[in-house]
């Protein structure tokens, strides 16, 4: 194969060198040999399964290899070793009988346990007594199963009872999460989780904590959910404007007699009490008295009723529901109630403060800065007092963002070769642009000369002659004939004849037009001067024909220091 330089034009030697360098850099960018390594197959494994610690690219000149548990090659952590020359294999202190060593240096761990999780070290030794250690991590997780929920009670009195709910069994290396009525647990100072989140404690339970509880267990190899557990909460607090119904039940024969007292005053002699749209004045102690008229036996039961302010549904204010990525957004939770707590949710999940997500001192205002495409979704705010809570309607936020650009890694040699090729291409384009520019410039000069103000009438062309004159070290004499144009041609012919047609320095190419210009003047339009080293533009000349020869001779003499004939 011929080198790339033979394909390049011979008139651009500098670009030839650039492109050749680029080709060499591209061709010889050969990757180095792969280094020895080990990997766990699979990288995560369930307890009781097998995992292979696979060795790659081990050198041929090995004398022995040792397997250790841990980062350091310590004798107390040796699992197994093998001497290649003697084909001798020895078991270490950590060998359990479930490890198998293969001839290629790989190690199989069978029926693994959680205790076998951790770092493994393959130490290889060459015939020159050089040592090298390679590390790999083995992750072992328990086999999960469907959990179950147990509790100290299925009912509770609001503001009075404490409820504990536990998710069984307690798996190791497992994440536990809780949900209430299909959503994340609401934020509440009376809700606490144990270490590991296996037990949920509800202190002085409130009505918004009643419903269906579920627990989820999860590790990288599995996920399971429990059946729902239902907690019923008996109200002690009632919202203003709601209806209140109280009923008193007693087993008696004959039928018992009932009476109600409110805050020590007689209220009713019926078994049930119904109050339409309660108000704050209806708070107090409600006592139900029962009496057996025949036996005279009687009993009573007291119920505390607290009427709380009506909690109105909040709403969210936002200036623009469509925002640009990396900008900020403000959301405000508006409520007509006072003395309330405010929480925020995002896609039905509790929203927590981060370096980008910020809350005002009372949580009423939510600011996200800068916003990202992951922040697009549904936002809600929840207002609550110690007894009840209300959730706003969701507000959807859209985030406009630019498509992500992938960055592809590039080695230094490849980048250098690419840079050289780009520079070479730019040099070629620059040369072409230079040539086209001066070609256009020359054409513009020709058009400018043909449109001079001296042409007052459309000229009539009598004769057109094209001559190439080779001028040597001769000084032609000024023409004296009345025919200026004929003497000019004669002078140039004599010069060319004396120099035997050889031009040591330059050649003048011009086009002469025998066109009348007035006052006995003729037009001479040199086209170009071709020097031995470069191309020079010719000035336009309009003079008496007798000066043509003088102009050529004097121009040549001034360049070469040569006198006349």
């Amino acid at each position: 194969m011929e080198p790339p330089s033979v394909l390049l034009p011979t008139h651009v030697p500098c670009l030839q060198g650039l492109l050749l360098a680029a080709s060499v850099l591209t061709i010889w960018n050969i990757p180095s040999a792969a280094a020895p390594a080990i990997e766990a197959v699979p990288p995560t494994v369930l307890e009781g399964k097998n995992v292979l610690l696979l060795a790659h690219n081990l050198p041929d000149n090995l004398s022995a290899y040792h397997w250790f548990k841990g980062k350091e090659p310590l004798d107390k952590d040796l699992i197994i070793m093998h001497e290649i020359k003697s084909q001798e294999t020895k078991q270490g202190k950590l060998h359990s009988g479930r490890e198998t060593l293969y001839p290629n240096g790989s190690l199989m761990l069978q029926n693994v346990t959680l205790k076998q999780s951790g770092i493994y070290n393959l130490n290889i030794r060459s015939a020159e007594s050089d040592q090298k250690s390679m590390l790999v991590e083995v992750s072992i997780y328990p086999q999960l199963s469907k959990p179950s929920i147990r509790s100290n009670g299925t009912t509770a009195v609001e503001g009075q009872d404490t409820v504990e709910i536990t998710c069984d069994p307690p798996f190791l290396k497992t994440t536990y999460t809780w949900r209430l009525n299909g959503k994340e647990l609401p934020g509440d100072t009376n809700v606490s989780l144990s270490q590991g989140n296996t037990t949920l404690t509800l202190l002085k339970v409130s009505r918004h904590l009643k419903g269906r509880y579920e627990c989820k267990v999860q590790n990288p190899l599995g996920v399971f959910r429990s059946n729902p557990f239902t907690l019923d909460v008996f109200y002690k607090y009632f919202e203003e404007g709601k209806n209140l119904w109280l009923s008193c039940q007693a087993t008696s024969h004959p039928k018992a007699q009932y009476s109600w007292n409110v805050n020590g005053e007689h209220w009713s002699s019926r078994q049930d009490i119904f109050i339409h749209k309660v108000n704050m004045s209806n708070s107090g102690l409600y006592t139900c008295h029962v009496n057996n008229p025949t036996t005279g036996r009687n009993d009573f039961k007291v119920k505390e009723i607290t009427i709380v302010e009506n909690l109105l549904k909040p709403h969210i204010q936002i200036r623009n529901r469509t925002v640009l990525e990396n900008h900020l957004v403000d959301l405000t939770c508006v409520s007509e109630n006072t003395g309330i707590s405010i929480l925020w949710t995002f896609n039905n999940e509790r929203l927590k403060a981060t370096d980008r997500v910020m809350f005002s001192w009372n949580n009423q205002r939510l600011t996200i800065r800068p916003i990202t495409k992951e922040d697009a979704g549904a936002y809600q705010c929840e207002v609550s007092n110690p007894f009840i809570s209300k959730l706003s309607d969701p507000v959807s936020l859209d985030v406009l963002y630019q498509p992500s650009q992938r960055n592809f890694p590039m080695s230094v040699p490849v980048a250098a070769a690419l840079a050289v090729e780009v520079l070479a291409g730019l040099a070629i384009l620059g040369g072409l642009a230079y040539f086209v520019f001066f070609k256009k410039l020359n054409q513009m000069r020709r058009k400018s000369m043909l449109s001079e103000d001296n042409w007052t009438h459309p000229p009539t062309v009598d004769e057109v002659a094209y001559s190439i004159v080779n001028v040597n070290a001769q000084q032609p004499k000024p023409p004296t004939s009345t025919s200026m144009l004929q003497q000019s041609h004669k002078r140039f012919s004599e010069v060319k004849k004396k120099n035997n047609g050889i031009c040591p320095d330059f050649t003048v190419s011009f086009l002469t037009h025998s066109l009348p210009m007035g006052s006995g003047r003729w037009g001479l339009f040199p086209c170009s001067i071709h020097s031995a080293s470069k191309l020079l533009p010719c000035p336009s000349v309009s003079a008496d024909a007798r000066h043509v020869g003088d102009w050529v001779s004097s121009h040549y003499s001034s360049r070469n220091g040569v006198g006349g004939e």
Side-chain angles (χ1 to χ4, degrees), residues 129-155:
S129 299
D130 294 331
Q131 296 188 31
K132 182 177 181 179
S133 290
M134 295 162 290
L135 306 179
V136 65
E137 184 175 5
V138 176
S139 299
I140 303 172
Y141 293 91
Q143 177 69 58
L144 299 180
S145 60
K146 186 174 182 177
S148 61
I149 293 179
R150 57 182 173 88
S151 175
N152 62 343
T154 60
T155 62

Side-chain angles (χ1 to χ4, degrees), residues 199-504:
T199 299
L200 175 66
T201 302
L202 311 177
L203 301 172
K204 295 184 178 180
V205 64
S206 58
R207 69 185 64 185
H208 67 275
L209 294 178
K210 74 172 184 177
R212 295 157 57 90
Y213 285 80
E214 294 176 285
C215 72
K216 180 177 71 173
V217 294
Q218 183 176 9
N219 64 29
L221 298 176
V223 56
F224 290 90
R225 290 179 174 85
S226 68
N227 290 330
F229 163 80
T230 301
L231 176 66
D232 194 9
V233 178
F234 298 140
Y235 298 170
K236 183 178 178 180
Y237 305 94
F238 296 88
E239 189 175 0
E240 186 179 17
K242 301 294 183 180
N243 297 330
L244 175 63
W245 175 73
L246 299 175
S247 178
C248 193
Q249 303 287 335
T251 303
S252 174
H253 184 75
K255 188 177 181 180
Q257 295 176 344
Y258 296 89
S259 65
W260 285 91
N261 291 341
V262 177
N263 295 327
E265 296 182 1
H266 179 72
W267 179 271
S268 173
S269 298
R270 297 181 179 181
Q271 184 177 358
D272 300 334
I273 290 180
F274 177 79
I275 303 176
H276 180 65
K277 291 184 179 181
V278 296
N279 55 47
M280 304 296 287
S281 64
N282 295 126
S283 297
L285 297 177
Y286 287 71
T287 305
C288 174
H289 293 272
V290 293
N291 177 57
N292 189 315
T294 302
T295 64
R297 185 177 178 182
N298 58 72
D299 200 357
F300 67 94
K301 194 74 173 180
V302 179
K303 177 72 174 179
E304 183 181 6
I305 300 297
T306 303
I307 308 301
V308 297
E309 181 186 12
N310 181 28
L311 199 58
L312 301 177
K313 185 176 183 179
H315 67 276
I316 296 177
Q317 286 184 349
I318 182 172
R319 178 174 298 179
N320 194 344
R321 298 194 182 193
T322 302
V323 296
L324 294 175
E325 190 176 24
N326 296 322
H327 286 61
L328 67 86
V329 63
D330 283 324
L331 300 96
T332 303
C333 186
V334 179
S335 174
E336 297 182 12
N337 296 102
T338 59
I340 56 174
S341 299
I342 300 177
L343 298 173
W344 289 87
T345 61
F346 172 61
N347 292 336
N348 295 325
E349 300 288 342
R350 172 77 179 279
L351 193 60
K352 300 179 181 179
T354 65
D355 56 342
R356 295 188 308 105
V357 179
M358 295 164 283
F359 301 100
S360 61
W361 67 273
N362 60 355
N363 282 2
Q364 186 175 9
R365 182 178 178 183
L366 165 64
T367 301
I368 305 176
R369 179 175 54 194
I371 197 164
T372 66
K373 60 183 179 180
E374 286 77 17
D375 297 318
Y379 290 82
Q380 290 176 281
C381 71
E382 182 183 41
V383 297
S384 63
N385 56 33
F387 317 113
I388 54 178
S389 64
K390 289 290 181 67
L391 191 65
S392 71
D393 292 330
V395 170
S396 295
L397 181 66
D398 295 325
V399 179
L400 302 181
Y401 60 92
Q402 294 181 349
S404 60
Q405 298 179 354
R406 294 184 178 180
N407 296 322
F408 296 94
M410 182 180 296
S411 63
V412 174
V414 172
L418 181 60
V420 171
E421 291 178 358
V422 170
L423 292 176
L426 292 176
I428 293 175
L429 292 176
L432 293 175
Y434 182 86
F435 172 76
V436 171
F437 172 75
F438 280 101
K439 183 177 179 181
K440 293 289 184 181
L441 183 61
N442 195 23
Q443 292 177 354
M444 293 175 63
R445 285 174 174 167
R446 290 182 183 179
K447 292 179 180 179
S448 177
M449 290 185 291
L450 292 176
S451 61
E452 290 181 352
D453 295 336
N454 292 333
W455 299 87
T456 58
H457 301 284
T460 302
V461 179
D462 296 329
E463 178 184 358
V464 177
Y466 178 80
S467 301
I468 298 178
V469 182
N470 294 326
V471 183
N472 201 350
Q474 301 294 333
Q475 180 86 18
K477 296 179 179 180
T480 59
S481 173
T482 58
S483 177
M484 300 301 179
L485 185 60
Q486 293 179 0
Q487 290 189 22
S488 175
H489 280 288
K490 181 179 180 180
R491 168 67 64 182
F492 297 153
S493 300
E494 289 175 357
V495 173
K496 180 177 180 181
K497 182 177 181 181
K498 289 181 181 181
N499 288 276
N500 295 322
I502 301 175
C503 177

